[in-house]
Amino acid sequence: MRCRLLSIILFLVLLIGIIAPAWANPWSGGYRIALDGYDSHAFTRSEHLHLSMIYEPFGAVATHPQLQLGVTVSTDGDLWSVPLVTMGVGTGLFVFQEHPFSRMFRRDSALIPKIEATLTYNPIGSGLVAGTFLLQPISFHYGDKYIGIAGIAAVRDFTTDTWGWGVRLFEISHYLW
């Protein structure tokens, strides 16, 4: 019951976030889809699909902070697995306009390595389960979207007081407003 209520609330927040902010600066918010894998007791040993709303309070400039709120769902096929709520902050470190991959892309792009810190919360029972620090050295910015691959994460499991690690296989962030 709580999972369904949480899913409905998150859907409504995403819907309002997409259609409501006509007052926002250009390219200040949108959504992110990512596929992660973890070796930590806080997460199941399967892929995790991550969907979040992103917001950049100072506009979508490469090195400004980005806030996020979303859910992480295990893809192990268990329909009863609990979606985990995530919230975090990230930023680009620096910008390479003339990067080694620039001739491979049709559109103008910039290589912007990113860092991100995320807290993961289990809404049913156990509360705060993990903190994650992600370094994503290969992230391309195309003006209205980011595409990143091969991120590596350090995971602090708060339930067992241990450290683990994770990999972000890919990430697509698309600005809508």
Side-chain angles (χ1 to χ4, degrees), residues 26-46:
W27 307 130
S28 62
Y31 67 92
R32 171 188 297 158
I33 298 173
L35 188 63
D36 300 328
Y38 299 101
D39 185 17
S40 171
H41 295 288
F43 300 97
T44 59
R45 290 189 182 226
S46 65

Side-chain angles (χ1 to χ4, degrees), residues 1 4 8 26 32 68 83-84 102 107 111 139 143 167 176:
M1 180 69 178
R4 183 172 289 181
I8 291 170
R32 171 188 297 158
Q68 66 174 359
L84 302 172
S102 62
R107 294 177 62 187
L111 177 64
S139 181
V167 174
L176 299 174

